[in-house]
Amino acid sequence: MDNMTMESAKINDSRVWIAVAVAAVLWFVMFSPWTAPMVNFWYAMTASAVILVTLSTCFCRQWLADIRPTASQLALGLVIALVLWCVFWVGDKVSQLLFSFARPQVDMIYGMKSGTASALIGVLLLLVIGPAEEIFWRGYVQRCLSQRWNVNVGFVVTLALYTLIHVWSFNFMLLMAALMVGAFWGLLYRLRPQWLTALVISHAVWDACAFVFFPF
């Protein structure tokens, strides 16, 4: 690797970590008990989604070439969302049997809907929040880290980052949910990066179904 290539790699690395640091700050504001009461969660999440997509586009536009809204990608995205919803339905029942704190913590997550119309939440999840999260974490962060190291390291590091930024909620069930969805979408992207469009669709649909239309 020549000096120019090495310098470019360092610049790209720094951009990824700057973007992840911004995401960590935004998630801290939205989830921490010290700051969350001061913001409307859904408006803050929408603003965060816009910021992260903007950073992804400014720092690395490669994800744009992978967005191909075809019928096959739409169908695949819906199937992925359905499979993930079924996995969580089973997980919800099992967790309630194993942990007495499971249901109260899940109810705390759904309590974030209080004060905002469900229809508005559904629209924001479908059109802004869900797509933006997938574009940022898989289309940008995992892509760049996989290119910098290798696809396995990129997957594992992105999964760890995506999970850990939820730690400020101090909600074990939310942390495990982030780990599960991060592993699910991250592994699919690691195996089939050409499915980014389907993953974006599945993230949007799963978010809207899990939080609004068919909650657990």
Side-chain angles (χ1 to χ4, degrees), residues 54-155:
T54 301
L55 289 176
S56 302
T57 305
C58 291
F59 290 167
C60 178
R61 297 185 179 184
Q62 290 179 332
W63 66 267
L64 287 166
D66 291 337
I67 298 297
R68 303 183 182 91
T70 63
S72 60
Q73 288 288 306
L74 172 60
L76 180 60
L78 294 176
V79 170
I80 293 171
L82 176 60
V83 170
L84 186 57
W85 188 92
C86 292
V87 169
F88 265 74
W89 185 86
V90 173
D92 178 65
K93 306 309 175 188
V94 172
S95 65
Q96 289 186 53
L97 292 174
L98 296 177
F99 308 113
S100 60
F101 59 81
R103 190 68 242 176
Q105 288 197 357
V106 171
D107 289 340
M108 287 178 62
I109 298 171
Y110 283 120
M112 294 187 295
K113 295 192 297 182
S114 178
T116 305
S118 294
L120 176 59
I121 295 172
V123 169
L124 293 176
L125 288 169
L126 274 172
L127 301 183
V128 183
I129 298 170
E133 282 199 282
E134 201 57 31
I135 288 168
F136 179 76
W137 289 107
R138 256 62 65 181
Y140 175 51
V141 176
Q142 186 169 335
R143 172 201 291 275
C144 289
L145 295 183
S146 296
Q147 290 175 347
R148 180 64 179 89
W149 294 314
N150 61 64
V151 291
N152 293 322
V153 175
F155 163 56

Side-chain angles (χ1 to χ4, degrees), residues 1 4-6 11 58 78 90 100 102 116 122 145 158 174 180 192 197 212 216:
M1 183 180 291
M4 185 176 295
T5 304
M6 289 179 64
I11 292 173
C58 291
L78 294 176
V90 173
S100 60
T116 305
L145 295 183
T158 302
L174 179 60
M180 287 181 63
R192 294 289 187 273
T197 304
V212 179
F216 304 107

